[in-house]
Structure formats: structure tokens, C-alpha cells
């Protein structure tokens, strides 16, 4: 479910943050588009940090992406939700005026449109606004009407933005109707992970030494991204916490970009409670410099000692804090792969360890294939060489089996 959330300039703009969170919690990925005036009320960075996607504020921003952005978004969205919508936004939509990104998007999209107006009582009651609302309704635009209450202009009356939970409810109802209309023949799609909330980490971490140097590793992020794509295709809601990689984010995932092990740990802990399955595919740095030099370290003619300390063991922290989630760890090994993976399963308390020999040419870093060994309390299953996407499917199969067995232990016998 992909929602484009248009935010226009009025005092209620801050409530759009709650609307966005509500949509995300229900499994939607949210692309935010703000008008220039909206950016005066809430900073685009607030939305960006929570949605994990860059916020669009300008129509003609030079970008490396050759696609025409408003057409790309217009076609990719399942619902255009404008909350709050000002009188000006309604007037533009009603008259087909396309003088900024949001109004251009409105006339470019064929997706259903839901509007939650917010304005002063006189503006809402003005014949021009009434006329615009009527024309938009006639065209199929749906409204979550404003409520009555104390308004920012110190008057009481209709014009207050509807409650964020009501807006989210209406948006989900519209998305649901749409999904049913587009649903292929029963059984045509494998959605055995619908309802699962999968938290995946991917890529390396980067531990700064000074402003231009740092410690990192060779992880490309391919395995974690393949896991995210596979889980999305199977109907799961996916949060991907990723270190710096050069891969395109999987469409539909909520992406949180992080750098260091500490950032990754914080992002994972933030989302842990909501998750049902956690897969730690990231190659987290085990050590970081004790202190980061504020300026670039200069050569002095002799060597340089950098004192390192251990980073937080995120997997261990997850296991300490988790409730019923199935937790999957990876074991990047260069020798005694199965034995070391068994040890990690016990030491870290994970439900499953996916082991691979990273010294091998075809299953290590930065290649498209992997040869994995799935180590759980019950079994050790050695898989043949396969594409990382295929390996991802097998990891998810194993995690789902552990979940099912935990729910009905008798069936596992
Ligand atoms: N991991 C983690 N936090 C760390 C280091 C690793 O959560 N600071 C996770 C990795 O994402 C992986 C698992 O722990 O899922 C095992 O990582 P690996 O690098 O193979 O092992 P380490 O725990 O670092 O142990 P060692 O390097 O001693 O083998």
C-alpha cells in the first residue's frame, strides 16, 4: 500500500505527522509532499526521518533521477491523501491549477483522492469553498470533514482538522476497497506473510575515525535487501534498517538509513516492539574508535595508534528485549562454519542462525549468490549454491516454520 500524503500550509500541519505514523503502523509506505507554506509550519526533515523517504517540496529540483517525478509518483500511488488541506489547496484542485508539486500531482494521478480540510470557520463556510468542495465531491474526491472546536484564530466553529485516527481510518478503508477491486484470482499470489511485520537490517556499518576516515567492511547489503524484497512480495510489512550501501531501496519498504552500529542499534530498538520477525543480516562493525577526531588527523611522520572499543551487540540486545518475535541472526564465518554458527545460536539466543562462508568466492561479500546453512535448535540444513533472492525465500520459510511451530508445538512433533 503506497500512500502519497500531501501536507499544505496551516497550523494543523503538525498533525500530519500523526497521520503518517498511523498509516505506517498499518503497513502503508508513505511518500510525503509538502507545499512551501507547509514547510513553514513543520520541517520536511521531521517527515523524512519518520517516513524514511525524501520529502518533496519543490516542483523543479535538479536531481540525478531522469524520471519525471510527479508522473512517477502519480502512477505509483494507491491513494493521494491531503491532510491538512487549506482553502487554497481545495480551490486549486477544483480549478485544475497546477502551480506546485502537490497540485500538479493531483491532476496527474488516477488514484483515489481523500482530502481532510482545515481552515478558519469563515473560510470553510465561504461560498467559494463550498462550491469547490461540491465540485470535488462530484468528481469522486472523498472528504473527512473538519470538526467543530476551538480554532487557532481564537474562534469556535467548523474548520478544525478531523482527528488523525479518523483520517487514517478513512484512508485505510479506501485502500481496502481498492485492494479488493485489484485482487487477482484467489491463490494467484503467495501472500503467506500477510500480517507479519518484518524488521530487517542490511549492509555494513561505518565507524568514524575523523571527518574523512572510518572503519567499515565489505558487506554490499544484497542479502538483506533480497530478504526485504522477498518478504514484501509475500505480503509482509517490512522495515529495513540499512547501513551505507549503493542499492536502490525496495519499493514498499519503510527504510531507515543509518551509519554506525550505535545508530543501527537505536533504529532497531525503536521498531522492535512492533515486529513479529527480526532478521539481522547486517554486518555490524564489532569495534569503533573510542573517540572521533573533530578535525582530519594529520600525518606526523610516525605511525598512528587508534584505540578501539567494542560496539553494542545488537542481536544480543534484541534477544534481551524481545517478546514473541522470531529472531534470525547471520554468521559470517571463514572456518568451521557450522560449528561456529551453532555456538552463535546458543550464545546469542537467536531462534535461527544463517551461516555462510564469506571466504568462498561464490557465497561471500558482493556476489549475487550464496551458500547458506540454516542452524536452529532442531536442525542443521545445508543449502546448495543459489541466488541471494532464493536464499532469502528459504530463510523466510524457516522463520515462518519456527513461528508456526511455536504457536502449535504439537504440530512440530
Ligand atoms: N551482530 C550484531 N551486533 C554486532 C555484531 C554482530 O547484532 N555488534 C549480529 C550480526 O548482524 C549477525 C550476528 O550478530 O546477525 C553475527 O555476526 P558475526 O559478525 O558473524 O558475529 P559476531 O557476533 O560479530 O561474532 P564474531 O565476529 O566474534 O564471530
Amino acid at each position: 500500500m503506497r500512500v502519497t500524503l500531501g501536507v499544505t500550509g496551516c497550523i494543523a500541519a503538525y498533525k500530519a505527522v500523526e497521520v503518517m505514523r498511523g498509516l505506517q503502523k498499518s503497513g502503508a509506505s508513505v511518500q510525503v509532499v509538502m507545499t512551501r507554506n507547509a514547510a513553514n509550519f513543520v520541517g520536511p526533515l521531521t517527515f523524512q526521518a519518520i517516513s524514511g523517504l525524501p520529502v518533496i517540496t519543490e516542483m523543479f529540483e535538479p536531481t540525478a533521477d531522469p524520471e519525471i517525478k510527479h508522473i512517477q509518483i502519480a502512477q505509483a500511488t494507491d491513494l493521494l491523501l491531503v491532510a491538512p488541506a487549506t482553502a487554497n489547496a481545495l480551490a486549486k484542485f477544483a480549478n485544475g491549477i497546477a502551480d506546485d508539486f502537490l497540485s500538479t500531482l493531483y491532476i496527474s494521478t488516477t488514484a483515489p483522492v481523500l482530502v481532510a480540510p482545515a481552515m478558519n470557520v469563515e473560510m470553510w463556510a465561504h461560498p467559494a469553498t463550498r462550491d469547490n468542495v461540491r465540485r470535488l465531491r462530484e468528481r469522486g474526491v472523498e472528504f473527512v470533514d473538519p470538526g467543530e472546536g476551538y480554532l487557532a484564530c481564537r474562534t469556535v466553529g467548523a474548520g478544525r482538522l478531523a482527528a488523525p485516527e479518523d483520517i487514517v481510518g478513512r484512508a485505510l478503508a479506501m485502500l481496502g476497497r481498492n485492494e479488493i477491486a485489484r485482487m487477482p484470482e484467489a491463490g494467484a499470489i503467495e501472500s503467506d506473510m500477510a500480517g507479519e511485520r518484518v524488521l530487517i537490517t542490511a549492509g555494513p556499518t561505518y565507524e568514524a575515525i575523523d571527518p574523512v576516515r572510518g572503519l567499515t567492511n565489505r558487506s554490499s547489503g544484497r542479502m538483506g535487501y533480497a530478504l526485504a524484497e522477498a518478504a514484501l512480495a509475500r505480503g509482509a510489512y517490512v522495515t529495513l534498517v540499512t547501513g551505507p550501501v549503493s542499492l536502490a531501496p525496495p519499493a514498499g519498504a519503510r527504510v531507515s538509513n543509518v551509519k554506525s552500529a550505535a545508530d543501527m542499534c537505536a533504529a532497531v530498538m525503536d521498531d522492535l516492539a512492533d515486529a513479529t520477525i527480526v532478521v539481522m543480516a547486517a554486518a555490524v562493525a564489532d569495534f569503533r574508535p573510542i573517540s572521533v577526531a573533530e578535525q582530519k588527523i594529520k600525518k606526523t611522520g610516525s605511525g598512528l595508534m587508534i584505540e578501539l572499543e567494542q560496539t553494542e551487540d545488537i542481536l544480543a540486545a534484541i534477544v534481551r528485549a524481545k517478546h514473541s518475535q522470531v529472531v534470525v541472526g547471520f554468521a559470517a564465518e571463514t572456518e568451521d562454519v557450522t560449528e561456529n554458527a551453532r555456538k552463535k545460536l546458543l550464545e546469542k539466543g537467536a531462534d535461527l542462525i544463517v551461516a555462510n562462508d564469506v571466504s568462498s568466492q561464490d557465497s561471500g561479500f558482493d556476489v549475487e549468490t550464496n551458500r547458506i546453512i540454516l542452524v536452529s535448535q532442531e536442525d542443521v540444513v545445508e543449502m546448495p549454491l543459489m541466488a541471494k533472492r532464493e536464499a532469502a525465500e528459504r530463510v523466510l520459510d524457516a522463520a515462518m516454520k519456527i513461528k508456526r511451530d511455536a504457536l502449535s508445538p504439537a504440530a512440530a512433533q
Side-chain angles (χ1 to χ4, degrees), residues 192-196 276-277 322-326 351 378 398-413:
D192 64 328
M193 294 185 73
E196 298 297 338
T276 57
I277 296 175
K322 75 166 200 144
H323 46 90
S324 55
Q325 296 92 332
V326 171
D351 298 293
E378 278 75 38
M400 289 298 282
K401 180 173 182 310
I402 292 171
K403 231 192 132 191
R404 278 194 303 273
D405 291 351
L407 287 174
S408 59
Q413 303 298 308

Side-chain angles (χ1 to χ4, degrees), residues 78-364:
D78 296 314
L79 176 75
L80 171 60
L81 165 62
V82 185
T86 56
N88 184 44
L90 297 180
K92 285 199 217 175
F93 295 167
N95 291 288
I97 295 170
D99 66 348
D100 63 4
F101 196 96
L102 182 61
S103 51
T104 309
L105 179 66
Y106 168 76
I107 57 164
S108 324
T109 193
T110 53
V113 179
L114 177 64
V115 170
M119 62 197 74
N120 155 277
V121 61
E122 308 298 351
M123 291 166 88
W124 179 239
H126 194 282
T129 305
R130 305 307 329 136
D131 201 35
N132 291 333
V133 170
R134 183 186 47 76
R135 284 162 68 192
L136 290 170
R137 279 195 215 273
E138 279 167 9
R139 274 184 225 153
V141 171
E142 297 199 19
F143 280 78
V144 193
D145 284 339
E148 296 208 3
Y150 185 73
L151 303 174
C153 49
R154 297 187 182 84
T155 50
V156 176
R160 197 158 84 162
L161 183 71
E165 58 271 24
D166 293 344
I167 299 172
V168 171
R170 279 290 296 283
L172 294 176
M174 284 177 76
L175 283 164
R177 264 186 264 151
N178 231 17
E179 287 288 296
I180 292 162
R182 285 190 292 130
M183 193 101 78
E185 302 269 304
I189 44 166
E190 167 79 276
S191 55
D192 64 328
M193 294 185 73
E196 298 297 338
R197 307 177 69 83
V198 187
L199 173 59
I200 299 169
T201 65
T205 62
Y206 177 91
E207 310 301 327
I209 294 171
D210 68 14
V212 295
R213 306 182 183 95
L215 298 173
T216 187
N217 61 62
R218 291 176 50 208
S219 169
S220 65
R222 284 206 171 89
M223 193 62 223
Y225 277 58
L227 280 156
E229 279 161 16
L232 284 162
R234 290 166 70 160
Y237 173 62
V238 173
T239 299
L240 178 65
V241 178
T242 175
V245 296
S246 52
L247 303 173
R254 186 165 81 82
V255 179
S256 166
N257 290 295
V258 297
K259 263 191 164 176
S260 66
D263 296 344
M264 183 173 277
C265 191
V268 166
M269 286 304 160
D270 247 15
D271 278 301
L272 180 63
D274 270 358
T276 57
I277 296 175
V278 186
V279 187
M280 282 291 302
V284 186
D286 288 327
F287 304 100
R288 71 175 151 237
I290 284 186
S291 61
V292 181
E294 271 180 35
Q295 307 301 335
K296 185 182 169 198
I297 301 171
K298 292 289 184 194
K299 290 195 288 287
T300 57
S302 56
L304 173 70
M305 294 283 283
I306 300 174
E307 208 179 334
L308 303 179
E309 63 184 0
Q310 248 181 258
T311 56
E312 31 291 283
D313 188 324
I314 308 172
L315 187 51
I318 290 170
V319 171
R320 279 196 302 274
K322 75 166 200 144
H323 46 90
S324 55
Q325 296 92 332
V326 171
V327 177
V328 180
F330 272 66
E333 304 294 344
T334 53
E335 58 181 352
D336 302 328
V337 179
T338 309
E339 209 29 57
N340 283 326
R342 265 215 199 93
K343 267 195 218 146
K344 270 183 196 162
L345 184 80
L346 292 179
E347 280 167 15
K348 303 226 177 189
D351 298 293
L352 178 73
I353 289 283
V354 183
N356 64 341
D357 184 349
V358 287
S359 63
S360 154
Q361 291 255 313
D362 52 13
S363 72

